[in-house]
Amino acid sequence: MYTGATKNLAVIGYPIAHSLSPVIQNTALTGAGLDYAYIAIPVAPADLPAAVAGFRAMNFRGWNVTIPHKSAIIPLLDEIEPAAAALGAVNTVINNDGHLVGTNTDVIGFIEPLKARLGESGLEGKNAVLMGAGGAARAVLWALLSADINNITLAVRTPAKAEPLAEEFRRLDKEHFSGTAEITVVDWAGEEYPVALAACDLLINATPLGMAPHTEAAPPVDWQKLKAEAFCYDIIYTPAVTAFLSQAAEHGHATLNGEEMLVGQARAALEKWTGCSGDKEAMLKALRSALEK
Ligand code: NAP
């Protein structure tokens, strides 16, 4: 039951009706007995400054930010945490008594489930192949560099589009991390791709290939080249088992889908707002049941 003392949280985007965040966050809030309400609010791009001023005026404790506002919100906030500043993308705002802090919890959402499988330092010195070089790949790249990965090969269909991203993250690695990671771009139809696959310890799909409703699609992988112990991670969460993960499992690889990343970024945001990250299993269950509907 909401009362006069209930604190407010939200997610903004445009459109926003598809967002699963209210289901995930309200499950956690109710389960933890926290007196907060979390709602989805559509905010058109031209209205973003007014919306931010409104949240501040109405003393919302915080809010999530999704497409198309992740970059546009940055100049409207008082402080941007380093990862969010480097990525140029804020997905969470924390309102500390009128001082608005922007952060990015996609990074932690991506890396924590992986570390839970591979160990805290399980990525150190390893080689990753990252398929896709869009918005989500940016958080993945930052996370891999923060985990001391040795080598990242961006395998894509349009190398010319991925090259500036690789260059940007070579610079970010030097500015924020060890500066020793090798980042290269290959055409996934070219001859260098099988060579990268043969050295790969972690193969990640960050393209939308295989996402519902086009569930038959998958990025190209020569499974004969991949080492048996290579770990396969698809950040897509619908369907739970993409064609890529199904092929990986058939070839004996350990796999992980994007459900925990989605719930992980939500839990990291909730922790920043309330000090409590919520019941992970209950949040995953709520996500799966919402996806089934
Ligand atoms: P995006 O910015 O549109 O980037 C997509 C990337 O995939 C680009 O490099 C693009 O290459 C490539 N791509 C797109 N369609 C392709 C196709 N038909 N064939 C080959 N390559 C293709 O998307 P995004 O925001 O990064 O999201 C990517 C996926 O991650 C989505 O499925 C999304 O649901 C998922 N995701 C999951 C989470 C989570 O929490 N689990 C969070 C964020 C995103 P071009 O440049 O050549 O077009």
Side-chain angles (χ1 to χ4, degrees), residues 90-145:
V90 160
N91 81 330
T92 301
V93 178
I94 307 121
N95 180 2
N96 292 325
D97 296 325
H99 182 80
L100 304 181
V101 181
T103 188
N104 189 308
T105 64
D106 287 331
V107 173
I108 194 162
F110 170 81
I111 204 77
E112 281 212 331
L114 198 53
K115 285 186 171 175
R117 266 74 176 183
L118 305 181
E120 190 54 34
S121 42
L123 290 169
E124 270 176 35
K126 294 287 168 51
N127 302 324
V129 171
L130 172 57
M131 299 180 286
R138 297 178 67 80
V140 172
L141 280 164
W142 181 274
L144 293 176
L145 293 176

Short mmCIF file of all heavy atoms in Angstrom, two decimals, residues 90-145:
data_model
loop_
_atom_site.label_atom_id
_atom_site.label_comp_id
_atom_site.label_asym_id
_atom_site.label_seq_id
_atom_site.Cartn_x
_atom_site.Cartn_y
_atom_site.Cartn_z
N VAL A 90 24.30 6.96 -19.42
CA VAL A 90 23.81 6.84 -18.04
C VAL A 90 22.53 6.00 -18.08
O VAL A 90 21.64 6.27 -18.87
CB VAL A 90 23.49 8.26 -17.47
CG1 VAL A 90 22.54 8.19 -16.29
CG2 VAL A 90 24.78 8.97 -17.10
N ASN A 91 22.47 4.95 -17.24
CA ASN A 91 21.21 4.20 -17.18
C ASN A 91 20.54 4.32 -15.82
O ASN A 91 19.44 3.82 -15.63
CB ASN A 91 21.42 2.71 -17.55
CG ASN A 91 21.96 1.90 -16.40
OD1 ASN A 91 22.68 2.42 -15.56
ND2 ASN A 91 21.61 0.64 -16.35
N THR A 92 21.22 5.00 -14.88
CA THR A 92 20.66 5.15 -13.53
C THR A 92 21.02 6.52 -12.99
O THR A 92 22.18 6.95 -13.10
CB THR A 92 21.27 4.07 -12.59
OG1 THR A 92 20.97 2.78 -13.12
CG2 THR A 92 20.72 4.18 -11.18
N VAL A 93 20.02 7.20 -12.40
CA VAL A 93 20.27 8.48 -11.73
C VAL A 93 19.93 8.33 -10.26
O VAL A 93 18.90 7.74 -9.91
CB VAL A 93 19.43 9.62 -12.36
CG1 VAL A 93 19.67 10.94 -11.62
CG2 VAL A 93 19.75 9.77 -13.85
N ILE A 94 20.80 8.86 -9.40
CA ILE A 94 20.56 8.85 -7.95
C ILE A 94 20.40 10.29 -7.52
O ILE A 94 21.25 11.14 -7.85
CB ILE A 94 21.75 8.20 -7.20
CG1 ILE A 94 22.05 6.82 -7.78
CG2 ILE A 94 21.45 8.10 -5.70
CD1 ILE A 94 23.44 6.69 -8.32
N ASN A 95 19.30 10.57 -6.81
CA ASN A 95 19.04 11.94 -6.35
C ASN A 95 19.42 12.05 -4.88
O ASN A 95 18.68 11.60 -4.00
CB ASN A 95 17.56 12.26 -6.57
CG ASN A 95 17.20 13.67 -6.10
OD1 ASN A 95 18.07 14.43 -5.66
ND2 ASN A 95 15.94 14.02 -6.21
N ASN A 96 20.60 12.62 -4.63
CA ASN A 96 21.06 12.81 -3.25
C ASN A 96 20.69 14.23 -2.80
O ASN A 96 21.46 15.17 -3.01
CB ASN A 96 22.57 12.59 -3.14
CG ASN A 96 22.94 11.14 -3.39
OD1 ASN A 96 22.19 10.22 -3.02
ND2 ASN A 96 24.07 10.90 -4.03
N ASP A 97 19.48 14.39 -2.30
CA ASP A 97 19.00 15.69 -1.82
C ASP A 97 19.19 16.80 -2.86
O ASP A 97 19.73 17.87 -2.58
CB ASP A 97 19.73 16.09 -0.52
CG ASP A 97 19.41 15.12 0.60
OD1 ASP A 97 18.26 14.62 0.64
OD2 ASP A 97 20.32 14.82 1.40
N GLY A 98 18.78 16.50 -4.08
CA GLY A 98 18.84 17.50 -5.14
C GLY A 98 20.10 17.45 -5.98
O GLY A 98 20.19 18.10 -7.02
N HIS A 99 21.11 16.68 -5.53
CA HIS A 99 22.35 16.52 -6.30
C HIS A 99 22.20 15.24 -7.13
O HIS A 99 22.14 14.14 -6.58
CB HIS A 99 23.53 16.42 -5.33
CG HIS A 99 24.86 16.30 -6.00
ND1 HIS A 99 25.54 17.39 -6.53
CD2 HIS A 99 25.64 15.22 -6.26
CE1 HIS A 99 26.68 16.98 -7.05
NE2 HIS A 99 26.76 15.66 -6.91
N LEU A 100 22.12 15.40 -8.45
CA LEU A 100 21.80 14.26 -9.32
C LEU A 100 23.06 13.60 -9.86
O LEU A 100 23.86 14.23 -10.56
CB LEU A 100 20.93 14.74 -10.49
CG LEU A 100 19.62 15.46 -10.13
CD1 LEU A 100 18.84 15.84 -11.39
CD2 LEU A 100 18.75 14.60 -9.20
N VAL A 101 23.22 12.32 -9.51
CA VAL A 101 24.41 11.57 -9.91
C VAL A 101 24.02 10.54 -10.98
O VAL A 101 23.09 9.75 -10.77
CB VAL A 101 25.03 10.83 -8.70
CG1 VAL A 101 26.29 10.07 -9.12
CG2 VAL A 101 25.33 11.80 -7.57
N GLY A 102 24.73 10.56 -12.10
CA GLY A 102 24.47 9.58 -13.18
C GLY A 102 25.47 8.45 -13.11
O GLY A 102 26.68 8.67 -12.94
N THR A 103 24.99 7.23 -13.26
CA THR A 103 25.88 6.09 -13.24
C THR A 103 25.46 5.09 -14.33
O THR A 103 24.44 5.29 -15.00
CB THR A 103 25.92 5.45 -11.83
OG1 THR A 103 26.93 4.46 -11.80
CG2 THR A 103 24.60 4.81 -11.48
N ASN A 104 26.25 4.04 -14.50
CA ASN A 104 25.90 3.03 -15.50
C ASN A 104 26.03 1.66 -14.86
O ASN A 104 27.14 1.23 -14.54
CB ASN A 104 26.80 3.13 -16.73
CG ASN A 104 26.31 2.24 -17.85
OD1 ASN A 104 26.08 1.05 -17.64
ND2 ASN A 104 26.10 2.80 -19.02
N THR A 105 24.91 1.00 -14.63
CA THR A 105 24.94 -0.31 -13.96
C THR A 105 24.91 -1.48 -14.95
O THR A 105 24.92 -2.63 -14.53
CB THR A 105 23.77 -0.44 -12.95
OG1 THR A 105 22.53 -0.40 -13.67
CG2 THR A 105 23.80 0.65 -11.90
N ASP A 106 24.91 -1.18 -16.27
CA ASP A 106 24.97 -2.27 -17.25
C ASP A 106 26.31 -3.02 -17.15
O ASP A 106 26.38 -4.22 -17.39
CB ASP A 106 24.84 -1.72 -18.69
CG ASP A 106 23.42 -1.27 -18.98
OD1 ASP A 106 22.48 -1.84 -18.40
OD2 ASP A 106 23.25 -0.34 -19.80
N VAL A 107 27.36 -2.27 -16.78
CA VAL A 107 28.69 -2.87 -16.69
C VAL A 107 28.69 -3.96 -15.62
O VAL A 107 29.08 -5.11 -15.88
CB VAL A 107 29.75 -1.77 -16.35
CG1 VAL A 107 31.09 -2.41 -16.08
CG2 VAL A 107 29.85 -0.76 -17.49
N ILE A 108 28.21 -3.62 -14.45
CA ILE A 108 28.18 -4.60 -13.35
C ILE A 108 27.18 -5.72 -13.66
O ILE A 108 27.41 -6.89 -13.35
CB ILE A 108 27.88 -3.88 -12.01
CG1 ILE A 108 28.20 -4.80 -10.84
CG2 ILE A 108 26.52 -3.37 -11.87
CD1 ILE A 108 28.35 -4.04 -9.54
N GLY A 109 26.07 -5.33 -14.31
CA GLY A 109 25.08 -6.34 -14.70
C GLY A 109 25.68 -7.38 -15.62
O GLY A 109 25.38 -8.58 -15.51
N PHE A 110 26.57 -6.96 -16.51
CA PHE A 110 27.21 -7.89 -17.44
C PHE A 110 28.26 -8.75 -16.75
O PHE A 110 28.32 -9.96 -16.94
CB PHE A 110 27.89 -7.11 -18.59
CG PHE A 110 28.76 -7.98 -19.44
CD1 PHE A 110 28.22 -8.79 -20.44
CD2 PHE A 110 30.13 -8.04 -19.24
CE1 PHE A 110 29.03 -9.62 -21.20
CE2 PHE A 110 30.95 -8.86 -19.99
CZ PHE A 110 30.39 -9.66 -20.98
N ILE A 111 29.11 -8.12 -15.93
CA ILE A 111 30.32 -8.82 -15.46
C ILE A 111 30.07 -9.71 -14.25
O ILE A 111 30.72 -10.74 -14.10
CB ILE A 111 31.46 -7.80 -15.19
CG1 ILE A 111 32.84 -8.47 -15.27
CG2 ILE A 111 31.31 -7.07 -13.88
CD1 ILE A 111 33.34 -8.73 -16.63
N GLU A 112 29.12 -9.34 -13.38
CA GLU A 112 28.98 -10.12 -12.15
C GLU A 112 28.58 -11.57 -12.38
O GLU A 112 29.16 -12.47 -11.79
CB GLU A 112 28.01 -9.41 -11.20
CG GLU A 112 28.72 -8.29 -10.49
CD GLU A 112 28.21 -8.03 -9.09
OE1 GLU A 112 27.02 -8.29 -8.84
OE2 GLU A 112 29.00 -7.53 -8.27
N PRO A 113 27.58 -11.83 -13.26
CA PRO A 113 27.22 -13.24 -13.50
C PRO A 113 28.37 -14.03 -14.13
O PRO A 113 28.52 -15.22 -13.88
CB PRO A 113 26.04 -13.17 -14.47
CG PRO A 113 25.63 -11.76 -14.55
CD PRO A 113 26.72 -10.90 -14.00
N LEU A 114 29.19 -13.33 -14.91
CA LEU A 114 30.33 -13.99 -15.55
C LEU A 114 31.37 -14.37 -14.50
O LEU A 114 31.88 -15.50 -14.47
CB LEU A 114 30.91 -13.02 -16.58
CG LEU A 114 31.82 -13.59 -17.65
CD1 LEU A 114 31.19 -14.75 -18.38
CD2 LEU A 114 32.19 -12.48 -18.64
N LYS A 115 31.65 -13.42 -13.59
CA LYS A 115 32.62 -13.70 -12.52
C LYS A 115 32.10 -14.80 -11.60
O LYS A 115 32.88 -15.58 -11.06
CB LYS A 115 32.91 -12.42 -11.73
CG LYS A 115 33.81 -11.45 -12.49
CD LYS A 115 34.18 -10.27 -11.62
CE LYS A 115 35.24 -9.42 -12.29
NZ LYS A 115 35.53 -8.20 -11.52
N ALA A 116 30.77 -14.84 -11.44
CA ALA A 116 30.19 -15.91 -10.59
C ALA A 116 30.48 -17.28 -11.20
O ALA A 116 30.60 -18.27 -10.49
CB ALA A 116 28.70 -15.69 -10.42
N ARG A 117 30.59 -17.35 -12.54
CA ARG A 117 30.88 -18.63 -13.22
C ARG A 117 32.38 -18.89 -13.32
O ARG A 117 32.82 -20.01 -13.16
CB ARG A 117 30.32 -18.63 -14.65
CG ARG A 117 28.93 -19.22 -14.81
CD ARG A 117 27.93 -18.30 -14.29
NE ARG A 117 26.55 -18.74 -14.49
CZ ARG A 117 25.53 -17.99 -14.13
NH1 ARG A 117 25.72 -16.80 -13.58
NH2 ARG A 117 24.29 -18.41 -14.29
N LEU A 118 33.15 -17.84 -13.66
CA LEU A 118 34.56 -18.05 -14.01
C LEU A 118 35.52 -17.72 -12.87
O LEU A 118 36.71 -17.94 -12.99
CB LEU A 118 34.93 -17.19 -15.23
CG LEU A 118 34.07 -17.38 -16.48
CD1 LEU A 118 34.57 -16.48 -17.60
CD2 LEU A 118 34.06 -18.84 -16.94
N GLY A 119 34.97 -17.16 -11.78
CA GLY A 119 35.84 -16.76 -10.66
C GLY A 119 36.15 -15.27 -10.76
O GLY A 119 36.12 -14.69 -11.85
N GLU A 120 36.46 -14.66 -9.63
CA GLU A 120 36.68 -13.20 -9.54
C GLU A 120 37.77 -12.75 -10.52
O GLU A 120 37.65 -11.72 -11.16
CB GLU A 120 37.05 -12.86 -8.08
CG GLU A 120 37.08 -11.39 -7.75
CD GLU A 120 35.79 -10.64 -8.09
OE1 GLU A 120 34.68 -11.21 -7.98
OE2 GLU A 120 35.92 -9.48 -8.51
N SER A 121 38.84 -13.56 -10.64
CA SER A 121 39.90 -13.16 -11.57
C SER A 121 39.95 -14.09 -12.78
O SER A 121 40.98 -14.25 -13.43
CB SER A 121 41.25 -13.09 -10.85
OG SER A 121 41.38 -14.18 -9.99
N GLY A 122 38.80 -14.70 -13.08
CA GLY A 122 38.74 -15.69 -14.15
C GLY A 122 38.94 -15.14 -15.56
O GLY A 122 39.12 -15.92 -16.50
N LEU A 123 38.91 -13.82 -15.71
CA LEU A 123 39.09 -13.25 -17.05
C LEU A 123 40.50 -12.72 -17.27
O LEU A 123 40.87 -12.37 -18.40
CB LEU A 123 38.07 -12.12 -17.28
CG LEU A 123 36.63 -12.59 -17.42
CD1 LEU A 123 35.67 -11.42 -17.39
CD2 LEU A 123 36.44 -13.37 -18.71
N GLU A 124 41.26 -12.66 -16.20
CA GLU A 124 42.62 -12.12 -16.30
C GLU A 124 43.44 -12.90 -17.31
O GLU A 124 43.50 -14.14 -17.25
CB GLU A 124 43.33 -12.21 -14.94
CG GLU A 124 43.12 -10.99 -14.09
CD GLU A 124 43.74 -11.15 -12.71
OE1 GLU A 124 44.79 -11.79 -12.58
OE2 GLU A 124 43.11 -10.64 -11.77
N GLY A 125 44.03 -12.19 -18.26
CA GLY A 125 44.92 -12.82 -19.24
C GLY A 125 44.19 -13.64 -20.29
O GLY A 125 44.84 -14.32 -21.09
N LYS A 126 42.86 -13.57 -20.32
CA LYS A 126 42.10 -14.40 -21.27
C LYS A 126 41.80 -13.64 -22.57
O LYS A 126 41.97 -12.42 -22.66
CB LYS A 126 40.79 -14.85 -20.63
CG LYS A 126 41.00 -15.79 -19.44
CD LYS A 126 41.43 -17.13 -19.94
CE LYS A 126 41.94 -18.12 -18.93
NZ LYS A 126 41.34 -18.47 -17.78
N ASN A 127 41.35 -14.41 -23.56
CA ASN A 127 41.02 -13.84 -24.87
C ASN A 127 39.51 -13.91 -25.11
O ASN A 127 38.93 -14.98 -24.97
CB ASN A 127 41.73 -14.62 -25.99
CG ASN A 127 43.23 -14.62 -25.81
OD1 ASN A 127 43.80 -13.63 -25.36
ND2 ASN A 127 43.85 -15.74 -26.12
N ALA A 128 38.94 -12.77 -25.47
CA ALA A 128 37.50 -12.74 -25.73
C ALA A 128 37.24 -12.40 -27.19
O ALA A 128 38.00 -11.63 -27.80
CB ALA A 128 36.83 -11.70 -24.84
N VAL A 129 36.19 -12.97 -27.72
CA VAL A 129 35.67 -12.56 -29.03
C VAL A 129 34.29 -11.98 -28.77
O VAL A 129 33.42 -12.66 -28.20
CB VAL A 129 35.61 -13.73 -30.03
CG1 VAL A 129 34.87 -13.30 -31.30
CG2 VAL A 129 37.02 -14.21 -30.38
N LEU A 130 34.12 -10.72 -29.16
CA LEU A 130 32.85 -10.02 -28.93
C LEU A 130 32.19 -9.78 -30.28
O LEU A 130 32.72 -9.04 -31.11
CB LEU A 130 33.14 -8.69 -28.21
CG LEU A 130 31.99 -7.71 -28.04
CD1 LEU A 130 30.82 -8.34 -27.29
CD2 LEU A 130 32.49 -6.46 -27.29
N MET A 131 31.04 -10.41 -30.48
CA MET A 131 30.30 -10.23 -31.74
C MET A 131 29.30 -9.10 -31.55
O MET A 131 28.43 -9.17 -30.67
CB MET A 131 29.61 -11.54 -32.12
CG MET A 131 30.62 -12.67 -32.33
SD MET A 131 29.86 -14.23 -32.78
CE MET A 131 29.15 -14.75 -31.24
N GLY A 132 29.45 -8.06 -32.36
CA GLY A 132 28.58 -6.88 -32.24
C GLY A 132 29.37 -5.72 -31.67
O GLY A 132 30.28 -5.91 -30.83
N ALA A 133 29.05 -4.53 -32.12
CA ALA A 133 29.78 -3.34 -31.69
C ALA A 133 28.83 -2.15 -31.55
O ALA A 133 29.15 -1.03 -31.93
CB ALA A 133 30.89 -3.03 -32.70
N GLY A 134 27.63 -2.41 -30.98
CA GLY A 134 26.65 -1.35 -30.80
C GLY A 134 26.68 -0.80 -29.39
O GLY A 134 27.72 -0.85 -28.70
N GLY A 135 25.53 -0.30 -28.92
CA GLY A 135 25.45 0.33 -27.59
C GLY A 135 25.80 -0.64 -26.47
O GLY A 135 26.56 -0.30 -25.56
N ALA A 136 25.26 -1.85 -26.51
CA ALA A 136 25.51 -2.81 -25.42
C ALA A 136 26.97 -3.23 -25.40
O ALA A 136 27.54 -3.47 -24.33
CB ALA A 136 24.60 -4.03 -25.60
N ALA A 137 27.60 -3.31 -26.58
CA ALA A 137 29.01 -3.72 -26.65
C ALA A 137 29.91 -2.74 -25.89
O ALA A 137 30.96 -3.13 -25.38
CB ALA A 137 29.46 -3.81 -28.11
N ARG A 138 29.50 -1.50 -25.76
CA ARG A 138 30.33 -0.51 -25.05
C ARG A 138 30.46 -0.90 -23.57
O ARG A 138 31.55 -0.87 -23.00
CB ARG A 138 29.72 0.90 -25.18
CG ARG A 138 29.68 1.41 -26.61
CD ARG A 138 29.02 2.78 -26.68
NE ARG A 138 29.82 3.80 -26.02
CZ ARG A 138 30.88 4.40 -26.56
NH1 ARG A 138 31.24 4.10 -27.79
NH2 ARG A 138 31.55 5.30 -25.89
N ALA A 139 29.32 -1.25 -22.95
CA ALA A 139 29.37 -1.67 -21.53
C ALA A 139 30.16 -2.97 -21.40
O ALA A 139 30.92 -3.15 -20.43
CB ALA A 139 27.95 -1.85 -20.99
N VAL A 140 30.02 -3.87 -22.38
CA VAL A 140 30.75 -5.15 -22.35
C VAL A 140 32.26 -4.88 -22.43
O VAL A 140 33.05 -5.45 -21.67
CB VAL A 140 30.29 -6.07 -23.50
CG1 VAL A 140 31.17 -7.30 -23.60
CG2 VAL A 140 28.82 -6.45 -23.32
N LEU A 141 32.65 -4.00 -23.33
CA LEU A 141 34.08 -3.69 -23.50
C LEU A 141 34.67 -3.11 -22.21
O LEU A 141 35.73 -3.52 -21.76
CB LEU A 141 34.27 -2.69 -24.65
CG LEU A 141 34.23 -3.29 -26.06
CD1 LEU A 141 34.04 -2.19 -27.10
CD2 LEU A 141 35.52 -4.05 -26.35
N TRP A 142 33.94 -2.17 -21.62
CA TRP A 142 34.43 -1.56 -20.37
C TRP A 142 34.58 -2.64 -19.29
O TRP A 142 35.58 -2.70 -18.57
CB TRP A 142 33.45 -0.47 -19.91
CG TRP A 142 33.88 0.23 -18.66
CD1 TRP A 142 33.63 -0.16 -17.38
CD2 TRP A 142 34.67 1.43 -18.56
NE1 TRP A 142 34.20 0.71 -16.48
CE2 TRP A 142 34.84 1.71 -17.18
CE3 TRP A 142 35.24 2.30 -19.49
CZ2 TRP A 142 35.55 2.81 -16.72
CZ3 TRP A 142 35.94 3.40 -19.02
CH2 TRP A 142 36.09 3.65 -17.66
N ALA A 143 33.57 -3.50 -19.19
CA ALA A 143 33.59 -4.56 -18.17
C ALA A 143 34.77 -5.51 -18.40
O ALA A 143 35.47 -5.87 -17.45
CB ALA A 143 32.27 -5.34 -18.21
N LEU A 144 35.02 -5.89 -19.63
CA LEU A 144 36.12 -6.82 -19.93
C LEU A 144 37.47 -6.17 -19.60
O LEU A 144 38.36 -6.81 -19.03
CB LEU A 144 36.08 -7.26 -21.39
CG LEU A 144 34.88 -8.13 -21.81
CD1 LEU A 144 34.93 -8.41 -23.31
CD2 LEU A 144 34.84 -9.44 -21.02
N LEU A 145 37.61 -4.90 -19.95
CA LEU A 145 38.88 -4.21 -19.66
C LEU A 145 39.08 -4.09 -18.15
O LEU A 145 40.19 -4.26 -17.64
CB LEU A 145 38.90 -2.82 -20.31
CG LEU A 145 38.93 -2.83 -21.85
CD1 LEU A 145 38.85 -1.41 -22.40
CD2 LEU A 145 40.19 -3.52 -22.38
#
